[in-house]
Amino acid sequence: MAPNWLLLLQGGLFTALLIAASVCDARKQLIPDCVCVGIALTGLLTFSPEKLLGLATAVLLFGIALWLGGLDGGDIKYTAAVGPVLGLQKSMAGIILGFATMLIFHAIYTLIQKMRGGDVRKSYPLAPFFSIGCLTAYFFF
């Protein structure tokens, strides 16, 4: 197990980079490659070979994107970047929690828009939702 100071350093960098990815995605609908690389590099602070299995989550999302669409390359790069930090189980949990958070947000947004008589069709940047899920998985699972 890694020393506490190293875990704190990794947790702080991971949090800051996920916030950066979320802000960029929310503002420009783009997650810069340098942010994804930074996220992946935080995984080196507490590297273990089994955490590389976290990349399988990105492969799963890539397959879903090919089959259903709706995801772009930035979301898949983001998922690949968090994989080596979280490992397979936490990575899957983080993405599932992220999607669940997005669905809850969408339900509330849709309800408010219907009450106002507005348009309910909307696409959302996924990084903010994925970040909520991944940070929850990192710190609580």
Side-chain angles (χ1 to χ4, degrees):
M1 179 135 174
N4 286 340
W5 67 269
L6 195 56
L7 292 172
L8 286 172
L9 176 63
Q10 182 184 44
L13 289 171
F14 188 58
T15 301
L17 289 164
L18 293 189
I19 290 170
S22 297
V23 169
C24 290
D25 198 24
R27 288 186 179 168
K28 299 179 182 178
Q29 296 181 345
L30 176 76
I31 304 171
D33 291 342
C34 62
V35 174
C36 289
V37 169
I39 293 168
L41 288 175
T42 62
L44 294 176
L45 293 172
T46 59
F47 178 77
S48 64
E50 60 270 4
K51 284 190 177 180
L52 290 176
L53 291 174
L55 295 170
T57 307
V59 173
L60 176 65
L61 281 185
F62 181 67
I64 291 170
L66 288 176
W67 186 42
L68 297 175
L71 296 172
D72 63 11
D75 301 322
I76 296 166
K77 286 187 298 185
Y78 174 95
T79 306
V82 300
V85 178
L86 298 177
L88 180 60
Q89 290 179 334
K90 287 184 179 184
S91 186
M92 290 294 284
I95 298 307
I96 291 168
L97 286 169
F99 276 126
T101 304
M102 184 190 69
L103 289 173
I104 292 167
F105 177 85
H106 177 70
I108 293 168
Y109 176 83
T110 300
L111 180 64
I112 291 170
Q113 287 300 102
K114 283 187 177 184
M115 289 174 22
R116 291 183 176 171
D119 185 21
V120 296
R121 299 170 99 192
K122 175 115 173 111
S123 66
Y124 306 106
L126 288 177
F129 300 107
F130 283 176
S131 293
I132 291 168
C134 289
L135 287 172
T136 302
Y138 181 84
F139 287 108
F140 297 108
F141 292 170

